[in-house]
């Protein structure tokens, strides 16, 4: 097992350990193998650590030992020791540890316990008797740019806003260690970067040790100082970020996609690889061939969405006319969410619905399902006015897959959940159709498992299976790739690409710009409840005034191409490599760090120490 010193780009990390994990093993009740296996890990005080690995690699279980949730809340067979700032977590309660370790959970909605945002953020400092609780509350709200939400009820918040409130409540405690599980889940791209900038500020200016559980390698490369790669319940290695990215092959093999900057710089033989857009552009500039245009772009439908491929009028699947909608607060005031929406959704379209948190994406999708009806205007789906039918009746025409997959599981097995709609509607040949859908989404080995026990990627596939079994004309998906590792994300993206065989029109609400670039044929940009733009992915990423206003950040490949002055813009790393005339496989080959011996998957972790 190799050891290494966690090096910042400027300053070394203090080697004084704030977290020490020794010979740690843990097994959940009722399971036949350890979830954590003989873990040895040291995190230095003041480090900024990214814990990465595929779904099911035990990243979250490991981090829950830092604040005592394992084993005090999630009990089981616990062996070994975990010390935080010298305090043994086995001998300390979760309450005692909470003043040292702040934790924002992946299911962050469950940690919001107070009625208003201000109440929630001040809850911890008040309970610990902090005399400066008001100052702490306002400081945390300001740090995350959500001061305007202070008097809002938490149930009024969007998913991204709720995530920010949960993080603010942690920051108000001013802990020594902050652990954030999937910090950018459900956040718009610009705010996701702001979260990491705030975490960096906490780390560098206040000396807080930051631990993130992350799948987005772009943020890892730019912000982390060291990386722990988890597999099969134990660290494979713990390396400084540059060495970790140089071993991009290891990361790829464990479900962590190489950022575009890493991938394209590795493809031209750069060593060390580039970690961000400016450095990647510098590396690639000598490889730009004057006049080279490469293959013509992916996903370039015509701008007229009312025409089909033959030039004839496209078949209308759904429409919204003069739609206005909003929600009433407890005081009775109406808060507008959507204003003046006029849209036509046509057969054959793959539509990405994008915009900042609170722009109205989820509300628009719920209007299309009939779960809610507009306060003004008309919504029709498959020719049916949503006011004239209940949501249950409209389910024959439209299927909505929730942002949280667990909400889709009502029965005790995946097969039963997929069969629920067709069998309940007595669809002819329902049994055969259910088995076909199960095979199509690749869940035959898990068909008799409760969907709530599956991994994140498997849950997403199961929900798509539920939607397909409904045979909808219109399929709506809310953040289908959120919090997935690369294999699961690719599985879901691949299934989305094949939906044209059985779904006339698909709409995805997403913050995932990689998904927009690689899948969508049309992009609807919402901003403050209105349609800011209706265009193709390439048109969107070529319009900085639109992306800036809607808080969208183009994929790294697009930003690198802009730096290089390439036109038309390639939308993916593969397209960029093609334009540069580089190979497509070199960056996939595991590259051991200089002087390092690769550790076997699942081997015990290592301490970052001076060589």
């Amino acid at each position: 097992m190799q050891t290494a010193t966690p090096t910042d780009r400027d300053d070394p990390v203090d080697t004084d350990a704030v977290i020490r994990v020794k010979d740690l093993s843990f097994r959940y009740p009722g399971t036949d193998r350890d979830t954590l296996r003989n873990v040895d890990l040291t995190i230095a005080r003041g480090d900024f650590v990214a814990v990465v690995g595929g779904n099911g690699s035990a990243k979250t279980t490991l981090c829950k030992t830092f604040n005592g949730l394992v084993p005090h809340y999630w009990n089981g067979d616990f062996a070994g020791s975990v010390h935080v700032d010298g305090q043994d977590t086995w001998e300390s309660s979760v309450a005692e540890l909470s003043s040292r370790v702040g934790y924002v959970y992946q299911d962050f909605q469950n940690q919001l316990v107070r009625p208003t945002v201000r109440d929630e953020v001040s809850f911890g400092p008040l309970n610990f008797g902090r005399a400066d609780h008001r100052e702490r509350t306002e400081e945390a709200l300001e740090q995350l740019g959500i001061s305007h939400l202070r008097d809002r009820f938490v149930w009024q918040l969007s998913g991204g806003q709720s995530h920010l409130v949960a993080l603010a409540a942690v920051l108000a405690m001013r802990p020594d260690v902050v652990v954030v599980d999937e910090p950018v889940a459900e956040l718009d791209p610009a705010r996701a970067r702001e979260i990491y900038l705030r975490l960096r500020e906490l780390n560098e200016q206040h000396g807080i040790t930051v631990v993130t559980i992350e799948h987005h390698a772009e943020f890892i490369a730019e912000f982390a100082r060291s990386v722990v790669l988890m597999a099969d319940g134990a660290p494979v290695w713990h390396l400084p970020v540059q060495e970790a990215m140089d071993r991009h092959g290891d990361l790829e093999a464990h479900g962590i996609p190489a950022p575009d900057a890493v991938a394209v710089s590795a493809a031209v033989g750069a060593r060390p690889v580039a970690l961000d857009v400016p450095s990647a552009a510098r590396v690639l500039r000598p490889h730009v061939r004057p006049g080279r245009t490469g293959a013509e772009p992916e996903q370039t439908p015509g701008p007229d969405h009312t025409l089909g491929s033959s030039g004839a009028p496209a078949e209308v699947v759904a429409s919204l006319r003069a739609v206005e909608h909003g929600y009433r607060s407890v005081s009775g005031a109406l808060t507008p969410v959507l204003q003046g929406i006029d849209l036509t959704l046509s057969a054959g379209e793959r539509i990405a619905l994008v915009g900042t948190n609170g722009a109205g994406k989820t509300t628009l999708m719920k209007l299309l399902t009939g779960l809610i009806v507009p306060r003004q205007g008309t919504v029709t789906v498959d020719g049916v006015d949503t006011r004239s039918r209940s949501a249950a009746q409209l389910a024959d025409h439209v299927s909505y897959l929730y942002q949280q997959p667990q909400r889709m599981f009502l029965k005790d097995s995946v097969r039963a959940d997929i069969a629920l709609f067709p069998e309940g509607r007595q669809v002819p040949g329902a049994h055969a159709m259910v088995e076909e859908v199960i095979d199509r989404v690749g869940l035959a080995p898990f068909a008799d498992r409760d969907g709530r026990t599956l991994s994140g990627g498997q849950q997403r596939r199961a929900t798509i299976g539920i939607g397909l079994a409904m045979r909808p004309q219109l399929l709506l998906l809310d953040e289908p790739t959120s919090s997935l590792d690369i294999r699961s994300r690719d599985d879901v993206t691949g299934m989305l690409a094949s939906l044209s065989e059985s779904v006339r029109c698909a709409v995805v609400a997403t913050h995932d710009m990689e998904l927009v670039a690689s899948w969508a044929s049309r992009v609807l940009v919402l901003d403050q409840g209105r349609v800011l733009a209706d265009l193709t992915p390439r048109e969107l990423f070529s319009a900085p005034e639109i992306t800036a206003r809607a808080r969208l950040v183009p994929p790294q490949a697009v930003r690198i191409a802009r730096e290089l002055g390439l036109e038309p813009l390639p939308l993916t790393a593969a397209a960029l490599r093609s334009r540069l005339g580089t190979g497509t496989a070199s960056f996939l080959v595991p590259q051991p760090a200089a002087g390092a011996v690769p550790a076997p998957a699942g081997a015990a972790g290592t301490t970052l120490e001076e060589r």
Side-chain angles (χ1 to χ4, degrees):
M1 180 64 63
Q2 66 271 28
T3 60
T5 301
T7 55
D8 185 79
R9 292 164 184 80
D10 298 312
D11 303 307
V13 173
D14 184 353
T15 56
D16 177 28
V18 68
I19 296 175
R20 290 188 183 275
V21 182
K22 184 68 174 174
D23 298 327
L24 174 65
S25 294
F26 180 74
R27 179 179 299 187
Y28 288 102
T31 59
D32 58 3
R33 67 192 306 270
D34 290 346
T35 299
L36 294 173
R37 301 185 303 107
N38 302 317
V39 177
D40 287 309
L41 179 69
T42 297
I43 294 176
R45 189 181 307 278
D47 201 354
F48 192 130
V49 186
V51 181
V52 305
N55 292 124
S57 60
K59 305 182 297 295
T60 296
T61 299
L62 172 64
C63 290
K64 284 181 177 177
T65 68
F66 301 163
N67 70 342
L69 279 182
V70 172
H72 299 303
Y73 181 78
W74 297 101
N75 58 14
D77 296 331
F78 184 100
S81 65
V82 179
H83 287 81
V84 177
D85 203 16
Q87 188 168 347
D88 190 334
T89 62
W90 176 265
E91 298 175 351
S92 307
S93 69
V94 174
E96 290 170 329
L97 291 166
S98 66
S99 62
R100 298 175 182 266
V101 182
Y103 202 121
V104 181
Y105 306 106
Q106 189 171 354
D107 52 348
F108 54 87
Q109 298 275 11
N110 290 333
Q111 68 185 101
L112 303 181
V113 297
R114 301 295 296 157
T116 70
V117 170
R118 192 201 308 267
D119 291 338
E120 180 62 39
V121 177
S122 65
F123 182 72
L126 272 171
N127 273 272
F128 276 87
R130 307 301 188 206
D132 59 347
H133 61 86
R134 291 187 180 85
E135 291 81 359
R136 288 170 177 251
T137 298
E138 292 304 317
E139 175 187 274
L141 291 171
E142 182 66 28
Q143 282 180 329
L144 298 179
I146 55 174
S147 296
H148 63 289
L149 299 176
R150 60 168 63 85
D151 296 319
R152 192 81 61 85
F153 289 97
V154 294
W155 53 263
Q156 293 177 301
L157 304 176
S158 69
Q161 291 169 335
S162 298
H163 202 169
L164 291 170
V165 171
L167 179 56
V170 164
L171 296 184
M173 289 295 297
R174 297 177 184 168
D176 297 322
V177 179
V178 170
V179 181
V180 190
D181 196 342
E182 299 287 355
V184 303
E186 304 185 27
L187 293 180
D188 61 69
R191 184 158 280 140
R193 179 173 172 77
E194 288 177 6
I195 288 292
Y196 266 97
L197 287 170
R198 297 300 186 187
L199 291 173
R200 174 191 278 173
E201 180 180 306
L202 293 168
N203 176 249
E204 295 181 349
Q205 297 184 15
H206 301 284
I208 293 175
T209 304
V210 176
V211 181
T212 65
I213 302 172
E214 187 58 88
H215 286 124
H216 295 79
E218 175 181 342
F219 292 114
I220 297 167
E222 183 174 358
F223 292 97
R225 302 179 70 189
S226 70
V227 182
V228 177
L229 174 60
M230 292 289 292
D232 197 26
V236 179
W237 42 249
H238 183 190
L239 291 171
V241 65
Q242 181 67 67
E243 292 185 42
M245 290 300 147
D246 286 338
R247 299 191 64 175
H248 44 76
D250 281 358
L251 296 173
E252 191 87 24
H254 289 88
I256 306 301
D260 292 344
V262 171
V264 295
S265 61
V268 299
R271 185 74 170 182
V273 295
L275 299 183
D276 53 33
V277 169
S279 56
R282 286 194 298 271
V283 168
L284 294 174
R285 191 161 280 113
H287 297 269
V288 175
R289 302 182 184 182
R292 180 178 178 86
T293 59
E296 251 326 284
E298 56 291 359
Q299 309 298 350
T300 54
D304 189 348
H305 305 295
T306 65
L307 298 180
S309 58
S310 65
E315 189 177 3
V316 174
V317 175
S319 67
L320 300 93
R321 294 289 173 261
V323 167
E324 308 269 345
H325 195 69
Y327 300 103
R328 292 200 180 278
S329 66
V330 172
S331 67
L334 182 65
T335 301
V337 176
L338 294 176
Q339 305 174 65
I341 301 296
D342 282 285
L343 288 172
T344 297
L345 313 183
S346 302
E349 290 186 320
R350 301 183 301 277
I351 300 172
L353 189 60
V354 304
T356 187
N357 296 116
K361 301 185 296 296
T362 297
T363 297
L364 191 151
M365 297 181 89
K366 287 182 176 180
L367 285 169
L368 287 167
T369 66
L371 289 170
I372 55 177
V373 295
R375 292 186 178 273
Q376 295 182 38
T378 303
V379 178
T380 60
V381 178
D382 201 20
V384 178
D385 188 329
T386 59
R387 294 183 190 277
S388 68
R389 305 276 181 87
S390 68
Q393 291 170 320
L394 284 168
D396 288 319
H397 307 273
V398 58
S399 176
Y400 175 53
L401 307 186
Y402 289 93
Q403 193 167 347
Q404 295 81 24
Q406 298 89 342
R407 297 179 64 183
M408 301 293 295
F409 303 126
L410 304 176
K411 310 295 282 184
D412 59 2
S413 72
V414 170
R415 178 178 281 106
D417 279 315
I418 292 176
L420 185 61
F421 183 88
E423 290 183 354
R425 299 296 173 100
Q426 298 182 339
V427 174
H431 177 74
M433 184 188 73
V434 167
E435 295 306 314
E436 178 187 345
V437 168
I438 289 172
D439 286 337
R440 183 172 179 184
V441 297
L443 288 177
F446 309 99
D448 295 318
R449 288 261 303 272
D450 189 314
R452 286 155 290 210
T453 68
L454 301 179
S455 70
Q458 291 164 346
Q459 287 185 347
R460 298 284 180 183
R461 282 189 275 159
T463 59
I464 290 177
I466 293 169
L468 291 178
M470 298 171 72
R471 293 185 174 178
Q473 301 296 307
L474 177 63
L475 181 62
L476 310 172
L477 305 98
D478 205 346
E479 293 288 356
T481 60
S482 175
S483 304
L484 297 184
D485 63 25
I486 185 173
R487 290 191 184 93
S488 301
R489 185 183 178 280
D490 287 349
D491 284 347
V492 170
T493 303
M495 280 187 287
L496 290 176
S498 68
L499 288 179
S500 57
E501 303 170 14
S502 53
V503 175
R504 289 166 65 206
C505 180
V507 180
V508 169
T510 186
H511 293 310
D512 184 347
M513 294 299 105
E514 300 282 351
L515 177 62
V516 172
S518 62
W519 173 79
S521 63
R522 178 184 178 189
V523 187
L524 298 174
V525 184
L526 289 187
D527 180 58
Q528 297 182 9
R530 300 182 183 274
V531 177
L532 173 64
D534 182 353
L535 65 186
T536 68
R538 180 165 286 103
E539 290 168 343
L540 171 64
F541 297 137
S542 299
E545 68 283 358
I546 294 176
T547 55
R549 179 172 169 181
R551 303 179 64 85
L552 305 175
V553 178
Q556 266 197 343
V558 173
R559 286 179 278 144
I560 294 169
R562 278 184 183 170
E563 293 273 340
L564 297 174
L566 298 181
E567 292 291 345
L569 283 173
L571 299 186
T572 64
L576 177 57
R577 289 197 302 272
S578 175
R579 293 282 291 280
L580 297 172
T582 64
T584 59
S586 59
F587 81 102
L588 296 175
V589 179
Q591 307 283 338
V597 178
T606 184
T607 300
L608 280 171
E609 297 172 346
E610 295 290 344
R611 280 177 174 155

